[in-house]
Amino acid sequence: MLERDRELAELLAASDDAGHGWGSVVLVFGEAGIGKTSLVRAFTEAVGADVRVLVGACDDLMAPRALGALRDAAAGTGGPLERTLAEGAAGEAVFAAISAEMSQAGRVVLVVEDVHWADDATLDALTYLAGRVDDLGTVLVLTFRDDELGTRHPLQRLLGALTRARVRRLPLRPLSPDAVARLAAGSGRDPRTLHAVTCGNPFYVTEVLADTPGEVPETVADAVLARVRVLGEDCRTALEQLSVVPTHVGLRLAEELLGDRLDALAEAERRGIVEVRPEGLAFRHELARRAIEGSLPALRRRTLDRAVVRALLARREPDRDRLLHHAVRSDDAETIAAHAPAAAREAARAGSHRQALTHFEAALRHPDRFTAADRAGLMDDYAWELYNAHRFTSAVRAGQEAVRLYEPSADPAAFGRALVRLSRHHYMTGETDAAEDAVSRAVRVLDPLGRTPELASALTHQGALLALTGHSERAVRVLDQARRLAGEHGCPDLISLCLNYLGVARADLGEPAPALRCVRESLATALHAGSHESAARAYTNLAELLYRFGDFAGLDRCVEEGLAFTRECGFWSHAYNLDVHRCLALMRRGETASAEQGLRALVEGVDDPGMLYVYSVPPYARLLARRGDAGAEKPLIQAWHRALRQRSLPGLAYAGIAYAEWAWLARRPEAAGAVRDLLLPFLDRPGRESFRAELLWHLARSGPAAEPFEGCPEPYAASLRGDWRTAAEGFAAAGAPYEQALELAESGELGPTLTALGVLDRLGASAAADPVRARLRALGLRRVPRGPVPTTRTHPAGLTARQSDVLELLAEGRTNAEIARHLVLSVRTVEHHVAAILDKLGATSRREATETARAAGLLGLGPAAPTRWDPGSPGTVGFA
């Protein structure tokens, strides 16, 4: 515990705070061997007797046990979490059980070690808990190896969701030369050489010091193996057997594997190589286990894994995840075929979708072990897990294979179900024609079977596609039929989906109020029934409608709730959609840097967004186009062509309007004309007025002026009438500074035009600002502002420009309301910025953030002044 006093004090302070009702998340991280487990053990031993400590660890298995760490933590408590997990529950039931467990009398500390190995269901449960630790007065301690986290590591989802929690970050650093010298005192080792070779890694240092004096081994593995070589042969043989079992070996399993040789491990225990823990035998550190395992020849490892398989199979109820880990490593096809399908489906039910994929893939590597019907079912379920994993193209291929295998079978119901799923996979890749063909075929296959639940599902998805592609009248008829049939069979998930897409269809029929009521009823139905995927779809369609109808306050609420729900439940494609709409709202409010940052993460961070490409790429490319980036053209063209193939209204509108804006900014009127000819007829119907108005507004800047149409919403109608002042006031009232600036630039008056330039410069919209400068010169202004001086786009603490502004005002002691007034933002937006600042600075309070920023020299970098134009004073100039 050398040089860990501060970290231990932080953990104990978190426990004390929890005693006063202030729960928190504590992140303990660093490289392997840095002392995370030692620190956590010292903490759990030091807390008071009135603190209930639950400890679990994640497994380094091929497919970690679903909710394994939580099962270990709750084992023997007899509480609600242990009971719920024993019943095989998942999702909401597990979330409720965690809350109930943490709400029991007294302080609770939950430690989950090695969360970099966590399964999806565990990550979802921890994300849920992390958002509620403050209310529950719980301390959640998570340990992980930060050097193993790439930008796409699943744990990043949990870490990214911690903005709502009180978080303490405890990075563990290597030991200093002085600390290494203290450890080496009297060992005969040269402390400087020891520190240079080990880089101060505590485990490496202690392994070297535990060996006989001599040269310092160059690697951790060398140090471990040097100690093992001096052990007796029986002890080494036993260690080799244990080394193929990750994490720990239960005492029962150790006895089954070693028999009389178990006693031989006493020598290794005395030398500190293995430990006896409550959960069983374990190496002192995972690095030691890996060093021994890595030294074994491949055939020897295979033999030892086979021994573990035999021992586990001898049990009445073997641990399937451990069994399959060793069966795959030893290429035991018979065991894999017998157990992988069930393990995959159990993992899927628990919400551990990555683990389900791993088990399905293991099973499908041995197709000859299954009948055609069983293989079809495996492939169909595998395709669904690929869909959940965002691997939409692969899902289509697997779904097509399932349909091919099912077709000759005598099970039309299963064949129809596979066709419905294949339709969904096709739609998510943007292949709408293929999706319609598959679901129509499903209806034809299932209709002769009568009024079955499978037919209700097929009709639901057929109606959904009709609603999404603008066939609204027919969609209403099909969805009403599907809803009645779903009601007969008590299928709340299908009832929810029917209501959801009825809302989409009614919006397209020009009925906004009934449309929103339908989608909100869909959401309530799904949440009440625990139909999580249906609820996730309801959140996304509600966000799309709120954006279309211009209800940005409602959109903020929907996105906040929806993102929390979809991230907790692991619906990442739905979270992606909601995140797009969060960024669209930021764009609208002129928070360009935050919007661009969020959209870039979506566009560059997901390999296969499928049909959602036409949601995220167009707004991102619009922001690039506004600042004159030539890289905007290619993705916009791709998005436009994909949207035409996809034929959904939001996709066509987002891509087409973005393309029209780019055509104006890039001085490409022929591109604007192509969009006009293809998209305007599609938007010329009730329910699409907002999209049509925005498109005409941009097209009018590239070519002939457009006239407002019947039902054209303000302030677009005012602009199309040529009333720039009313339009500017309308956009200002709506909190849309970019659109307001473009209207002011049409004034032909010096003051408003100069104000427009200031707004566009502040927003970084240089492509739109350049023609405004030309207008100012034409109006006789001799010294036209040059625009913002180029500065580095990288803030030392990773803050966006707007977050830097908020930080400056925080340092002045301003309240959120005062900051909102000063920067012309909503209070809710300021709250989000403050939470992000605390997160990035590793602070738990506004005061701590200010002190950290001041100490790091982050203040005084220059907040942007708010930009306003007073319509009552045409000559007013107010720009940054």
Side-chain angles (χ1 to χ4, degrees):
M1 288 301 295
L2 284 174
E3 299 184 331
R4 297 293 185 255
D5 292 344
R6 185 188 69 82
E7 290 81 2
L8 181 57
E10 284 280 347
L11 283 162
L12 292 171
S15 177
D16 290 342
D17 285 349
H20 295 91
W22 305 325
S24 62
V25 178
V26 184
L27 305 178
V28 180
F29 53 94
E31 67 184 11
I34 203 67
K36 300 181 290 295
T37 296
S38 297
L39 174 64
V40 168
R41 283 184 185 169
F43 163 60
T44 58
E45 291 169 2
V47 295
D50 61 328
V51 179
R52 204 158 56 94
V53 178
L54 307 177
V55 180
C58 302
D59 305 307
D60 184 21
L61 296 173
M62 173 191 75
R65 296 173 296 147
L67 298 166
L70 295 179
R71 294 178 196 280
D72 292 345
T77 63
L81 182 56
E82 183 179 30
R83 291 195 301 272
T84 300
L85 292 174
E87 294 166 359
E92 282 298 329
V94 173
F95 297 167
I98 288 177
S99 290
E101 189 73 45
M102 301 302 137
S103 299
Q104 295 188 68
R107 277 178 287 168
V108 181
V109 172
L110 172 60
V111 177
V112 181
E113 296 199 69
D114 297 322
V115 287
H116 51 280
W117 291 328
D119 63 285
D120 289 340
T122 296
L123 289 174
D124 292 343
L126 293 176
T127 301
Y128 172 88
L129 178 58
R132 292 158 179 80
V133 287
D134 199 11
D135 296 334
L136 294 169
T138 296
V139 181
L140 173 61
V141 181
L142 305 176
T143 77
F144 58 93
R145 300 179 189 173
D146 60 327
D147 57 341
E148 295 193 7
L149 302 188
T151 56
R152 300 184 185 181
H153 193 286
L155 180 56
Q156 296 288 9
R157 299 169 179 170
L158 167 57
L159 299 179
L162 294 180
T163 54
R164 296 178 296 145
R166 188 191 307 269
V167 181
R168 298 172 188 259
R169 289 173 170 77
L170 304 182
L172 299 190
R173 308 300 182 197
L175 298 177
S176 69
D178 287 344
V180 172
R182 289 172 60 189
L183 287 173
S187 69
R189 303 278 190 178
D190 176 24
R192 286 175 297 183
T193 302
L194 182 59
H195 185 271
V197 174
T198 63
C199 298
N201 181 286
F203 176 73
Y204 194 176
V205 172
T206 53
E207 283 297 295
V208 172
L209 292 175
D211 192 17
T212 55
E215 292 187 6
V216 178
E218 293 186 0
T219 68
V220 173
D222 291 338
V224 171
L225 295 175
R227 296 182 63 201
V228 171
R229 277 192 290 269
V230 303
L231 300 174
E233 182 178 352
D234 285 350
C235 186
R236 290 199 308 273
T237 301
L239 285 175
E240 288 175 357
Q241 177 65 77
L242 295 187
S243 74
V244 301
V245 183
T247 313
H248 67 271
V249 184
L251 290 175
R252 175 185 170 190
L253 179 58
E255 291 171 349
E256 291 165 346
L257 291 171
L258 301 177
D260 295 339
R261 289 179 299 152
L262 183 61
D263 290 342
L265 287 172
E267 185 181 3
E269 183 185 3
R270 284 194 303 271
R271 290 181 174 269
I273 295 172
V274 295
E275 300 173 337
V276 179
R277 300 176 186 170
E279 64 269 23
L281 282 173
F283 286 86
R284 190 167 69 85
H285 197 281
E286 180 70 7
L287 287 173
R289 183 194 71 78
R290 289 188 178 188
I292 298 171
E293 183 190 31
S295 70
L296 300 173
L299 285 175
R300 174 70 172 148
R301 285 200 300 270
R302 188 172 186 270
T303 299
L304 296 175
D305 276 312
R306 286 266 169 131
V308 180
V309 170
R310 288 194 298 272
L312 292 174
L313 282 175
R315 299 179 177 184
R316 181 184 297 178
E317 295 183 3
D319 181 335
R320 279 204 179 101
D321 296 300
R322 286 195 180 277
L323 175 64
L324 288 166
H325 174 84
H326 295 284
V328 169
R329 283 164 48 105
S330 59
D331 197 29
D332 184 346
E334 183 178 353
T335 299
I336 293 168
H339 292 274
R345 288 167 178 139
E346 285 176 6
R349 284 193 294 272
S352 292
H353 300 295
R354 283 181 298 124
Q355 289 65 46
L357 276 173
T358 299
H359 289 316
F360 276 128
E361 287 164 355
L364 290 167
R365 281 195 287 271
H366 303 280
D368 56 310
R369 298 275 176 168
F370 302 98
T371 67
D374 287 342
R375 200 158 72 249
L378 276 174
M379 197 63 77
D380 187 26
D381 289 342
Y382 174 52
W384 191 250
E385 291 309 310
L386 288 167
Y387 161 81
N388 285 324
H390 261 216
R391 294 167 58 186
F392 302 126
T393 303
S394 297
V396 166
R397 288 196 293 266
Q400 288 172 327
E401 178 65 6
V403 166
R404 185 189 70 78
L405 289 167
Y406 266 132
E407 193 158 13
S409 78
D411 191 349
F415 181 36
R417 286 195 300 270
L419 282 167
V420 171
R421 280 183 165 183
L422 178 59
S423 171
R424 180 68 178 170
H425 304 328
H426 275 304
Y427 180 74
M428 292 305 294
T429 63
E431 298 295 338
T432 303
D433 289 344
E436 290 175 335
D437 289 345
V439 79
S440 296
R441 190 178 174 194
V443 172
R444 291 196 299 272
V445 167
L446 294 168
D447 193 50
L449 302 182
R451 298 178 65 79
T452 62
E454 288 82 5
L455 179 60
S457 175
L459 290 171
T460 299
H461 286 83
Q462 185 179 52
L465 281 174
L466 290 167
L468 291 167
T469 54
H471 299 87
S472 307
E473 294 87 351
R474 187 181 168 204
V476 170
R477 293 195 297 273
V478 172
L479 289 167
D480 279 338
Q481 179 186 356
R483 185 182 173 189
R484 289 193 296 272
L485 188 51
E488 291 175 14
H489 291 282
C491 301
D493 56 333
L494 295 180
I495 293 171
S496 171
L497 289 177
C498 289
L499 287 165
N500 190 343
Y501 293 104
L502 278 168
V504 173
R506 294 199 181 283
D508 218 27
L509 292 170
E511 304 171 10
L516 290 172
R517 279 199 301 272
C518 272
V519 180
R520 288 191 169 110
E521 185 180 351
S522 163
L523 177 58
T525 300
L527 291 174
H528 179 73
S531 303
H532 293 164
E533 205 272 341
S534 299
R537 287 204 218 182
Y539 274 120
T540 58
N541 283 345
L542 180 58
E544 290 177 18
L545 294 185
L546 291 168
Y547 177 75
R548 191 201 305 194
F549 298 144
D551 183 355
F552 288 93
L555 176 61
D556 285 342
R557 291 191 296 272
C558 172
V559 165
E560 183 177 6
E561 293 173 12
L563 278 175
F565 179 85
T566 52
R567 286 170 177 165
E568 286 172 357
C569 296
F571 294 114
W572 300 109
S573 63
H574 298 300
Y576 187 104
N577 187 323
L578 289 164
D579 227 351
V580 168
H581 285 84
R582 179 185 67 84
C583 294
L584 286 170
L586 290 172
M587 278 181 64
R588 178 76 168 186
R589 291 194 289 265
E591 298 181 51
T592 307
S594 295
E596 184 175 338
Q597 183 182 43
L599 289 167
R600 183 188 304 112
L602 294 171
V603 171
E604 298 177 359
V606 176
D607 288 329
D608 186 11
M611 55 82 66
L612 294 171
Y613 182 95
V614 301
Y615 283 59
S616 59
V617 168
Y620 180 54
R622 286 177 87 169
L623 291 175
L624 297 181
R626 289 177 186 181
R627 58 180 171 85
D629 191 324
E633 179 178 7
K634 185 177 179 180
L636 266 177
I637 292 172
Q638 291 176 342
W640 173 236
H641 287 296
R642 288 176 70 159
L644 289 172
R645 187 171 69 247
Q646 195 169 307
R647 294 187 284 112
S648 72
L649 173 59
L652 279 165
Y654 296 169
I657 292 170
Y659 199 12
E661 182 180 353
W662 170 83
W664 164 60
L665 292 170
R667 313 296 186 266
R668 295 281 294 277
E670 75 285 358
V675 174
R676 180 189 61 239
D677 294 344
L678 288 170
L679 187 55
L680 261 185
F682 183 75
L683 298 180
D684 187 15
R685 57 182 295 176
R688 306 179 183 184
E689 294 89 350
S690 61
F691 289 141
R692 185 181 180 198
E694 187 178 0
L695 177 64
L696 287 172
W697 188 71
H698 284 293
L699 290 173
R701 299 174 189 282
S702 296
E707 294 292 328
F709 53 90
E710 184 178 352
C712 182
E714 297 288 357
Y716 294 108
S719 177
L720 295 174
R721 289 194 304 268
D723 184 354
W724 67 267
R725 188 182 300 278
T726 301
E729 292 174 0
F731 284 122
Y738 178 76
E739 290 77 4
Q740 177 197 8
L742 295 187
E743 288 302 320
L744 295 175
E746 297 293 324
S747 67
E749 299 177 11
L750 183 59
T753 307
L754 197 51
T755 300
L757 179 61
V759 174
L760 294 172
D761 279 344
R762 178 173 65 81
L763 296 175
S766 56
D770 287 344
V772 177
R773 286 188 168 80
R775 291 179 190 178
L776 286 169
R777 294 187 188 97
L779 289 170
L781 188 65
R782 296 179 60 186
R783 298 185 62 182
V784 177
R786 291 183 304 167
V789 178
T791 58
T792 176
R793 296 174 61 83
T794 305
H795 187 278
L799 302 185
T800 66
R802 179 56 76 208
Q803 288 164 2
S804 182
D805 293 345
V806 172
L807 177 59
E808 296 285 345
L809 298 171
L810 275 181
E812 295 177 11
R814 306 279 190 103
T815 66
N816 286 356
E818 290 169 340
I819 295 171
R821 285 195 297 272
H822 186 83
L823 295 178
V824 198
L825 302 174
S826 71
V827 174
R828 181 182 293 271
T829 298
V830 171
E831 290 171 354
H832 290 320
H833 284 319
V834 171
I837 290 167
L838 296 182
D839 184 53
K840 290 179 180 180
L841 296 183
T844 58
S845 68
R846 298 157 72 95
R847 179 177 179 180
E848 185 182 347
T850 299
E851 291 172 351
T852 300
R854 187 170 286 115
L858 302 179
L859 299 177
L861 301 182
T867 304
R868 302 195 198 206
W869 170 72
D870 180 359
S873 305
T876 298
V877 178
F879 64 95

